[in-house]
């Protein structure tokens, strides 16, 4: 009668480092990340974004944060949404795009069901990462980690006002970043767009 705790080392069920996308059941929500231009991967121009949701309580009727991270500058946009149904995400994203139409060339999301309607977005090209592949949207994942410094997992977002969310967004965008030569995302974004 051997238990896990009796073993000197329990073997992993899944080998890290091997990213074989063929082994997963693929949901096709829209254009795959595999069709994304090389220029997006190389971060050569402003306007290519990554997106996701930051959830407080994992209940679809609870508020969530729609987060967008620009790939070159790491500039962050955070929008509080009342729930994370697919239609809500579509409407919130379209509203942001309409406010800043020249900012968005492409946005890459994960394959979550809450993003199932985003292929309908007018304006930028929407791409979808492979299932279970958060590293394909690494800049956004990193930014979401910064948000968690202000909003811990499991804490309802109902108590956070739009003003508080804007303060969190500003704090992230004003933070000096090593990857940006110790400029803030806000300053780097402004300088990069001026130079382009």
């Amino acid at each position: 009668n051997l238990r896990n705790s009796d073993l000197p080392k329990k073997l992993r069920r899944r080998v890290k480092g091997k990213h074989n996308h063929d082994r997963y059941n693929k949901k096709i929500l829209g254009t795959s990340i595999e069709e994304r231009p090389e220029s997006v991967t190389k971060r050569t121009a402003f306007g290519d974004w990554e997106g996701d949701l930051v959830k407080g309580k994992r209940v679809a009727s609870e508020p969530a944060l729609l987060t967008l991270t620009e790939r070159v500058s790491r500039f962050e946009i955070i929008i509080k949404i009342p729930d994370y149904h697919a239609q809500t995400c579509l409407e919130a994203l379209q509203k942001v795009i309409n406010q800043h139409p020249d900012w968005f060339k492409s946005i890459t999301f994960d394959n979550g069901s809450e993003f199932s309607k985003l292929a309908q977005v007018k304006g930028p090209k929407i791409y979808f990462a492979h299932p279970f592949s958060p590293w394909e949207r690494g800049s956004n994942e990193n930014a979401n980690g910064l948000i968690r410094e202000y909003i811990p997992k499991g804490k309802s977002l109902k108590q956070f006002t739009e003003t508080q969310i804007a303060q969190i967004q500003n704090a992230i965008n004003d933070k000096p970043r090593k990857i940006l030569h110790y400029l803030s995302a806000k300053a780097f974004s402004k300088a990069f767009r001026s130079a382009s």
Side-chain angles (χ1 to χ4, degrees):
N1 293 331
L2 216 65
R3 295 171 300 176
N4 286 337
S5 58
D6 297 326
L7 299 173
K9 184 175 182 184
K10 186 179 177 184
L11 295 174
R12 295 182 189 278
R13 287 175 176 259
R14 194 165 144 204
V15 179
K16 284 191 172 182
K18 292 189 177 181
H19 308 310
N20 182 3
H21 298 298
D22 295 332
R23 65 182 285 194
Y24 303 116
N25 293 326
K26 290 187 179 180
K27 287 185 287 180
I28 303 172
L29 300 183
T31 308
S32 169
I33 193 171
E34 292 175 14
E35 297 180 43
R36 205 170 65 172
E38 190 68 18
S39 61
V40 179
T41 305
K42 290 185 175 178
R43 303 177 193 256
T44 56
F46 182 91
D48 297 305
W49 298 69
E50 299 168 1
D52 197 11
L53 289 184
V54 169
K55 299 166 183 174
K57 292 189 174 177
R58 299 187 71 83
V59 179
S61 58
E62 277 275 321
L65 302 177
L66 177 63
T67 65
L68 300 167
T69 311
E70 204 281 319
R71 283 176 56 80
V72 173
S73 65
R74 275 61 171 191
F75 188 82
E76 187 75 2
I77 296 174
I78 308 173
I79 307 107
K80 184 179 178 183
I81 54 177
D83 56 62
Y84 51 94
H85 298 297
Q87 185 64 33
T88 306
C89 292
L90 172 61
E91 290 169 4
L93 180 61
Q94 190 66 66
K95 184 177 179 182
V96 175
I97 292 166
N98 292 347
Q99 288 170 343
H100 308 284
D102 55 330
W103 284 16
F104 295 92
K105 294 176 185 170
S106 75
I107 314 174
T108 303
F109 287 93
D110 70 19
N111 251 27
S113 58
E114 58 267 35
F115 301 136
S116 60
K117 294 191 174 185
L118 296 190
Q120 301 172 30
V121 162
K122 293 179 177 70
K125 185 69 179 171
I126 304 296
Y127 297 98
F128 293 93
H130 295 103
F132 313 109
S133 306
W135 59 88
E136 293 182 338
R137 304 170 7 273
S139 297
N140 183 251
E141 288 288 320
N142 181 269
N144 290 348
L146 296 176
I147 293 170
R148 287 295 184 199
E149 294 177 14
Y150 302 91
I151 303 172
K153 281 188 179 180
K155 189 169 187 177
S156 175
L157 291 164
K158 284 181 180 177
Q159 59 190 296
F160 289 90
T161 65
E162 303 265 340
T163 302
Q164 288 172 311
I165 299 302
Q167 288 170 340
I168 294 169
Q169 176 182 296
N170 291 338
I172 292 171
N173 285 332
D174 288 335
K175 180 179 180 176
R177 310 282 283 275
K178 183 178 179 181
I179 199 163
L180 303 176
H181 311 290
Y182 296 99
L183 289 173
S184 67
K186 185 177 178 181
F188 191 90
S189 167
K190 190 174 179 181
F192 194 90
R193 278 183 290 148
S194 298
S196 299

